[in-house]
Amino acid sequence: MKSLPAALATLTLAAGCVGSPQTSPAGGDRSMGVGPITLATGKVATEYLQPLLDQWNAAHPHERAKLLELPEATDDQRAQMVNNLRVKSDRYDVLNLDVVWTAEFADAGWIIPLNRGDFPLDRFLTPVVDTALFRGQLYAVPYTSNAGLLYYRKDILDKEKKSPPKTWAELSDLARTVAPKYKMGGYAGQFQSYEGLTVNFAEAVQSAGGAILTNNGTDVVVNSPQARAGLNFLVGGLREGWIPKAALGYKEEESRKEFEAGHLLFLRNWPYVYGAFDRAGAGNAVKGRFGVVTLPGSDASHPGSSSLGGANLAISSYSKHQKSALEFIRYLTSLPTQRRVLTDGSFPPVWASLYDDPALIKRYPYLPVLKESILAARPRPQSPNYNQVSLIVSNAVYGALALQDSTEVAIMKMDADLKGAIVNR
Ligand code: GLC
């Protein structure tokens, strides 16, 4: 059997022969790393992507990009990528990585370091760029950002002469008293046991002024009154019924569909659902009837705080077409493509200027709220064992939300397990 570098050289040379001059990447050396590429990304609202790939493919017939859709849940996407990378598979060239995986993938050597000078990073939102760094080195390029928002039924609140809630007390009062009048559930987020639940819990803790870990991820600070308050807010909703029990099975898409069908008064979700709610269609009961605001805080003195989400594009260390992959990433993160990420995909772009564009604000009135939420969002710790940290959090929180464990038991379990995970890192 050929050694990997020998096999690589053969393949890249073969790929180098087929290109025509007008299709070569700008300034590229065509002898290495040029050829067809596969973009691996989670299957959530991906419909807008194929036209972007078609445009690239028309201009790059010898470096065609193919879309490979991975499962919907972020944890399952990670598992599939990790399985491939562990066996050094070249199946994926460009990886659309959740912002919380940069450290793990870089530390494991699965993605290649990149040159900052190859990308217009100074034009991107600053906190977003930080998510693509590991120990100061760039390993991925910001592609979409994300911050949690509160969607509400504007038609109903208007009818009841109520404003959208700014605090948990306002939210739970409305969810408890108004929602039943309209035969709907009060509030939901993403409460299935996975990364989405870690995010929802972290946001609740932060919105009470606390945290799970310190900013640098080295100390566990979850044994606090703020974390207990955050968990009690969610547990209270399930216990009192203003969070429907079914929400324990919701990820982003299930919860999006429930709100869209008119079954919920309030929903915590990411900005991508705005596009779906705003698009007329059978099964959409909320077009023209919803509003969106920043997440509520625990009380008037604590503004709501989102977790910083999003995705960055990285190049697999095992890709045989890394040069084409790099050019493709430059295309996907360029200003014209980023504008379409917003207008066609309803995903938050990473270019700062798009949030201040008056024409875009007119069309997407939530852009200023979104920018504010992204800039104020709290990043999750950049740690190679983030996945283990997150599993500990989501398991313990789920036990409390399912009303199997008390808040006290869940917090103490999280505290002990997180300390173990951090010490054993
Ligand atoms: C979104 C966010 C991502 C987060 C995930 C949780 O995809 O962009 O950062 O981890 O939701 O489900």
Side-chain angles (χ1 to χ4, degrees), residues 74 98-100 146 194-196 199 252 270 308-311 380:
T74 187
D98 192 319
V99 289
V100 284
N146 242 347
Y194 76 118
E195 180 62 32
V199 164
E252 281 79 4
W270 305 104
L308 182 63
R380 284 161 282 169

Side-chain angles (χ1 to χ4, degrees), residues 113-372:
L114 302 171
N115 288 327
R116 286 179 191 235
D118 285 342
F119 312 96
L121 301 181
D122 56 336
R123 313 292 293 277
F124 297 175
L125 297 167
T126 310
V128 169
V129 176
D130 292 341
T131 69
L133 306 176
F134 178 57
R135 303 201 173 121
Q137 166 67 50
L138 186 74
Y139 275 93
V141 191
Y143 173 56
T144 55
S145 188
N146 242 347
L149 298 171
L150 182 73
Y151 295 84
Y152 64 96
R153 284 295 297 273
K154 185 169 181 343
D155 55 336
I156 295 179
L157 292 197
D158 284 353
K159 198 139 89 195
E160 298 288 329
K161 301 197 170 26
K162 301 283 186 195
S163 315
K166 289 204 167 66
T167 62
W168 290 347
E170 288 169 12
L171 180 131
S172 57
D173 279 352
L174 293 166
R176 200 182 290 113
T177 57
V178 173
K181 276 176 51 185
Y182 295 82
K183 301 200 177 0
M184 56 196 337
Y187 173 69
Q190 294 71 48
F191 302 143
Q192 203 180 100
S193 187
Y194 76 118
E195 180 62 32
L197 180 57
T198 300
V199 164
N200 277 254
F201 172 66
E203 289 176 344
V205 176
Q206 290 155 209
S207 299
I212 301 172
L213 301 178
T214 47
N215 273 347
N216 53 11
T218 52
D219 289 294
V220 182
V221 289
V222 78
N223 183 1
S224 71
Q226 293 85 351
R228 284 176 178 76
L231 190 52
N232 279 335
F233 163 63
L234 299 172
V235 169
L238 282 144
R239 201 182 290 282
E240 294 162 21
W242 51 268
I243 295 179
K245 283 255 166 340
L248 292 177
Y250 294 170
K251 301 189 297 306
E252 281 79 4
E253 280 292 88
E254 290 89 356
S255 61
R256 191 263 296 164
K257 286 175 193 156
E258 278 302 291
F259 186 86
E260 198 172 316
H263 297 160
L264 285 171
L265 184 59
F266 297 113
L267 168 72
R268 181 261 173 232
N269 212 328
W270 305 104
Y272 85 91
V273 301
Y274 187 98
F277 297 161
D278 201 37
R279 204 175 304 128
N284 183 357
V286 300
K287 179 164 170 61
R289 298 188 175 142
F290 70 96
V292 56
V293 286
T294 51
L295 297 176
S298 62
D299 57 44
S301 60
H302 291 101
S305 164
S306 168
S307 291
L308 182 63
N312 302 326
L313 298 169
I315 301 177
S316 162
S317 299
Y318 312 109
S319 162
K320 298 201 172 75
H321 300 145
Q322 295 183 345
K323 206 164 262 175
S324 300
L326 180 86
E327 287 306 317
F328 181 60
I329 291 178
R330 280 160 58 91
Y331 162 73
L332 285 180
T333 57
S334 67
L335 184 57
T337 315
Q338 282 286 304
R339 180 179 277 267
R340 288 177 63 187
V341 163
L342 170 67
T343 57
D344 305 359
S346 194
F347 283 97
V350 296
W351 278 72
S353 62
L354 292 171
Y355 290 84
D356 303 322
D357 179 318
L360 288 176
I361 295 177
K362 191 149 180 251
R363 192 154 149 211
Y364 305 96
Y366 66 96
L367 275 183
V369 168
L370 177 56
K371 183 180 179 191
E372 185 193 328

